[in-house]
Structure formats: C-alpha cells, structure tokens
Amino acid sequence: MMRIPLPTEAVRIIDTLKAHGYKAYAVGGCVRDFVMGHTPDDYDITTDALPEQTAEVFTDAKVIKTGIKHGTVTVMLNSFKAEITTFRIDGTYTDSRHPDEVVFCPELKEDLKRRDFTMNALAYNHDEGFMDFFGGIDDINSGTIRCVGEAEIRFSEDALRILRALRFASVLGFDIADSTANAIYTGYPLLANISAERIFTELKKLLCGKEAYTVLTRFKDVFCFLIPELGRLSDEDYRHTAFMVSKVPAVLKISGLFYHCGAQGAHSALKRLKSDNKTTHEVCTIIEACSEKLSDCRVDALKLLNKYDSAPMLYAIDLMLCDTNQSDCRMLTNLRQVITDIVSHNECYKISQLAVNGSDLINAGITDGKLIGKILNFILNEIIENRVSNNREHLLKLIQNSDIKR
Ligand code: ATP
Ligand code: MG
C-alpha cells in the first residue's frame, strides 16, 4: 500500500480523532498534491465527529471555531494548522452559488460525493490508505479533470466549479474530460450568479498557471462572457492577449490580460471584477504607459518618469518586451537602461526632487501659491530639458531673476 508523507501533526490529529472513536482522513487538495508528488500548502481533515466533538477532543491544542455552521473548526498544533470538517452533504442549491443548508452525515463516501472533481474527492489515512470511490487516482495519473457525478448538475449547483476546473487545468496542466468540458461550454452563463470577488480570485490564479494560453484560447467564450472587454477584441488580438498572459511574469499577468483593451477597458473591467483600487490603478497606469510613443533619449525618459514614475514605467517596458510582434526591443532595452540609470543617480524628474522648494520661493518674496506651483514646474522643466542643473545655488539665483516671477 502506498503511504504518503503526511506531516506528523496531521497524523497526530487523525490518530487523536480515531482514538476517540471517530473516523478521520486527510482529504481534498492535500491528498491530490501528495499523489502528484507536490507538497501541499494547507491540510484539510474530514471526520464524522461533529464540530463540538472535534473541539472537545483537542482540548490541549488551539481550536478556532472557524465555521461551525458549515462544520469546520481549525486546529493549531504549534505553527501547523489544519481545517477539520465534519462529513456533510450539501442540501439543495437554488442559486448556483451556495447550498441552502448543509447536513452532517456519518459516511465518508457521501462527503466525497459532494466534492467538485474526482482528483479532489480522495481521502487518506495511514491505516486505511486511499479512499478513492470515483477514480480520482486514475484521473490524476492521466491528468484529467472530471466532475464527480453529472457535470451539468454539479455546475448548476455551484457555477464557481466551472472556473475552478479551468483554473486547475491551467495550473496543473491537466486536460478536462469531454463530458466536463461540454458542460462548461453550455453552462458558463451560470457564472453570472457568482460574486465578482470569487471570480477574480480564481481568475488571478488561472492566469498564473503554466497552461494559461491553452485554457484562455480553448475556453474563449467563457472569458469573453466574464470580461466583455475581451469579447470586443479581434480574434487575432484575443489570441495575442492569451500569448502575452502566458509570457509575462506573475506581477504582469493582469496587465497582460488587458494589454489590448486599453486603460479605459482595463479600468471598467477591473471595477466590475471588484479589484482593489491599488491593483486597478497600477494596471491602468502600466497600460496607459504602453500607449505612449516611447523613445530612449534621456529627456524623453525623464518626461515619461515625470508622468508615470519609475515602477509603472519599468513594468510597461517589461510588458512590451514580451510583445514580440510589435516592440522595438533594442529601443526598449536601452530605455530600460536609461531609466535605471536615472533612478540610481537620483536624477531629478519630479518637483519633490528639486533642490529648491516652496519655502525658498516664499523667502524670495513670492507668496501667490499658484505662481509658486507654476515656477516650480518651470524650473523642473528646465532641468528635464537639461538647460539648468538641479543645483541649489543656481536655482536660487534663477529665482531671484525677475522674469521668472511672471
Ligand atoms: P487549492 O487549495 O490548491 O486551491 P483545493 O482543492 O485544496 O485546491 P480548496 O478551495 O482549498 O481547493 O478546497 C478544498 C476541497 O474542498 C477541494 O479539494 C474540494 O474537495 C472541495 N471543494 C472546494 N470548493 C468546492 C466547490 N466549489 N464544490 C465542491 N467541492 C469543493
Ligand atoms: Mg486547499
């Protein structure tokens, strides 16, 4: 019998439950990961003990009553954390989103039956080995994502499973079984029932997967449904979007997705997806910077830095460098170098870097706030255009000059 290297803490939790007469197994993603030879990030334990009974068994450990209603308690053994959930059946679904009720049950098989895919419906403990009622191990070995039971029904119960299937296909590089894929092609409009936050969370993981290109192109209709801005692209631009997503580093995946949509398109899509403001702003800035006419001459680089600052500008360059169709790679590489140089020498491209400030102007007798702003901008421009240097003595003299005060 194949043994998987469960951490000792997980074994202790399972054995403790069993010592009290309960059934207990590692379940779901962690078992799948071990079968694939990966080390899991988190551990789920499934048991027939009711949440209150689980809490009673672990009196000497830290127990957090995470979701008593759904049957989940979290047990901490030092830094090891496991979620322990009571065997349950999900009641009827009326909204393709969450079950109307959950019902605890005594049988492991019932609990595994409610899980989304065969690869996620595996349970394991050292005494009994794998509990595999739905062919999950075979499906992992052949790299197949397959719904437990009738795919159409499972997606109509909870449409997020559609996106989970696509996310796993992208991240694990698995294929989707025909019956499951067909149910996705017909069932994806049900995703309208799923909250934007949950969709965006899955989407971000999906974009980072090694097979993002394959999934984005094979299930184009799903993504155009979720993000109408993508639906407005030409076939060529859509395909190239998928290519960009697959090429760019993880921090640029979302920017890559909206590369052909423009900053406006990215903005409306990200608002709709309930992206946090910081991400939305960063992505839109990067995409806007990509639409600039770029040149690697120093003055132009300083102007770009003034408008976009260095981090978004460097990201925009990295993004465009992945666009092997369009980009002038030599110019972009030079521009990247020029910008790194400007930043490392702390060269001046914004007001806050000027060797003089508002108080200096006030001391020189200029009190009108608007005029102060105008003069500082004028000086900055002179520096960027390389007509004066950012030297305090020079600049103070320049301020004394009466011309500047008009
Ligand atoms: P990962 O944590 O790597 O994203 P996972 O499979 O562990 O993958 P979780 O969201 O942590 O995913 O869920 C744990 C388990 O709960 C899954 O393996 C699956 O058995 C079950 N599960 C999660 N979401 C659903 C769902 N929407 N429908 C049915 N079962 C689900
Ligand atoms: Mg998990």
Side-chain angles (χ1 to χ4, degrees), residues 260-323:
H260 287 293
C261 297
Q264 279 276 304
H267 189 86
S268 41
L270 288 169
K271 279 276 158 208
R272 206 178 316 108
L273 288 166
K274 302 259 164 63
S275 159
D276 61 286
N277 291 335
K278 184 166 169 277
T279 305
T280 305
H281 179 73
E282 278 170 6
V283 169
C284 293
T285 310
I286 291 168
I287 291 178
E288 201 184 321
C290 289
S291 70
E292 292 282 343
K293 236 183 137 49
L294 301 181
S295 108
D296 56 5
C297 103
R298 207 170 187 84
V299 174
D300 290 341
L302 288 165
K303 286 180 183 167
L304 287 168
L305 288 174
N306 176 256
K307 190 164 173 194
Y308 296 103
D309 219 334
S310 58
M313 212 44 237
L314 289 171
Y315 279 136
I317 292 170
D318 288 345
L319 186 57
M320 293 176 83
L321 277 169
C322 293
D323 181 1

Side-chain angles (χ1 to χ4, degrees), residues 28-29 32 42 44 114-116 120 158 161 164 167-168 205:
R32 178 195 73 227
D42 45 43
D44 292 317
R114 71 165 170 96
R115 294 175 182 269
D116 48 5
N120 290 340
D158 177 2
R161 290 169 188 157
R164 281 174 59 87
R167 187 252 291 188
F168 285 121
K205 293 185 196 169

Side-chain angles (χ1 to χ4, degrees), residues 46-102:
T46 189
T47 179
D48 60 350
L50 296 170
E52 297 297 345
Q53 294 173 320
T54 300
E56 270 167 37
V57 164
F58 294 100
T59 39
D60 54 345
K62 191 172 170 201
V63 177
I64 308 160
K65 297 182 177 173
T66 332
I68 287 279
K69 205 175 119 233
H70 290 100
T72 306
V73 295
T74 304
V75 170
M76 306 271 304
L77 293 179
N78 304 317
S79 66
F80 182 87
K81 197 175 92 179
E83 301 236 299
I84 306 180
T85 305
T86 308
F87 295 164
R88 57 172 228 225
I89 337 174
D90 293 335
T92 48
Y93 290 75
T94 42
D95 60 358
S96 302
R97 192 165 38 204
H98 23 59
D100 303 335
E101 52 172 357
V102 304

